[in-house]
Amino acid sequence: MVMLHEYWRSSASYRVRIALGLFGIEHDRVGVDLLAGDQRATANLTLNKQGLVPTLEIDGLVLTQSLAILEYLEETRGPLLLPTDAAGRARVRALAHAVAMEIAPVCNMSVRKHVEVLTDGAMSPIDWQHYYITRGFAALEAMLGDGKTGDFCHGDSISMADLTLVPQVYNAQRVGVDMTAFPRIAAIAARLAEVPAVAAAHPDMTRPPKTVI
Ligand SMILES: N[C@@H](CCC(=O)N[C@@H](CS)C(=O)NCC(=O)O)C(=O)O
């Protein structure tokens, strides 16, 4: 059985949930409560040495790092998430990395908490995220203006870039980023929200019962 170890609000987990849905891979989910610190408990560390989520158990393997997981699914079950031409793949990866390697890491929970401690509460986790998401989205919006964007980030087919965009827009909205400043990103996100596998992966659909928001 395929098993996804995840947290319902984790953007990296959200990417993998969308991919599993798009590939039609049946799976079970194991919740790792980040607010309770379960990511650093032995059960999670045994699977994910970095003490993070997600981890995907599939094909007898234990896979970590969401983009590596997406690439694995693509290589074993695709093509679906990457274009068939090298230039297209490079563009999609650049868009995906602009989110997953530039915006998301600095907005991670451990970073936000550390900044709050270092600044003695002067910099709130929300202000921190707001700043870095806004900055990152300004760059992403410009990247999407190169004429190769269609209904989705790369032409009219869903790609890995869309799988990183959706969770980041969810986070942006949670911290009050003004999405009207990013019309291309907002329009793509709105279209993606209509895709069944994307809608089914939304945190509200996967939130454990009785979760405090
Ligand atoms: N680059 C990693 C990032 C994983 C990551 O940072 N996960 C976050 C949730 S989105 C996490 O586990 N945070 C726990 C913590 O910061 O303690 C990936 O894409 O899988």
Side-chain angles (χ1 to χ4, degrees):
M1 185 62 190
V2 178
M3 194 81 80
L4 175 64
H5 302 259
E6 60 136 30
Y7 180 62
W8 64 287
R9 252 186 179 157
S10 142
S11 48
S13 303
Y14 193 174
R15 293 170 199 152
V16 177
R17 285 200 302 270
I18 299 173
L20 290 171
L22 289 172
F23 280 107
I25 300 172
E26 295 271 324
H27 62 282
D28 278 342
R29 290 198 308 269
V30 180
V32 179
D33 187 346
L34 300 189
L35 298 184
D38 290 353
Q39 67 273 33
R40 293 181 295 278
T42 309
N44 191 58
L45 281 172
T46 304
L47 296 168
N48 190 313
K49 310 293 181 218
Q50 292 182 283
L52 301 170
V53 289
T55 305
L56 186 69
E57 293 188 81
I58 188 168
D59 300 341
L61 301 167
V62 178
L63 303 178
T64 62
Q65 285 290 341
S66 62
L67 292 194
I69 294 170
L70 300 190
E71 296 264 6
Y72 176 83
L73 296 177
E74 178 70 3
E75 286 180 23
T76 57
R77 275 92 174 155
L80 184 71
L81 300 177
L82 288 171
T84 50
D85 63 305
R89 287 196 294 277
R91 180 174 182 272
V92 165
R93 288 183 173 120
L95 294 168
H97 293 188
V99 173
M101 295 184 189
E102 308 296 336
I103 305 175
V106 285
C107 293
N108 209 339
M109 197 172 77
S110 57
V111 175
R112 295 188 323 247
K113 279 188 178 170
H114 193 53
V115 168
E116 196 176 22
V117 171
L118 285 179
T119 62
D120 215 5
M123 173 60 85
S124 80
I126 288 182
D127 290 346
W128 177 268
Q129 282 188 88
H130 193 286
Y131 174 78
Y132 278 105
I133 296 173
T134 303
R135 221 172 100 131
F137 271 6
L140 186 66
E141 182 76 13
M143 289 169 81
L144 290 168
D146 65 357
K148 299 188 175 77
T149 300
D151 283 347
F152 301 119
C153 286
H154 191 72
D156 296 331
S157 307
I158 291 189
S159 70
M160 194 179 290
D162 299 297
L163 273 57
T164 59
L165 181 133
V166 168
Q168 197 58 65
V169 168
Y170 169 76
N171 288 344
Q173 286 166 335
R174 283 189 66 208
V175 298
V177 171
D178 174 15
M179 289 304 298
T180 61
F182 310 112
R184 293 188 189 100
I185 297 173
I188 293 168
R191 283 184 212 105
L192 286 163
E194 303 297 320
V195 175
V198 175
H202 191 281
D204 288 349
M205 306 298 286
T206 59
R207 171 173 43 193
K210 295 190 186 151
T211 307
V212 178
I213 304 203

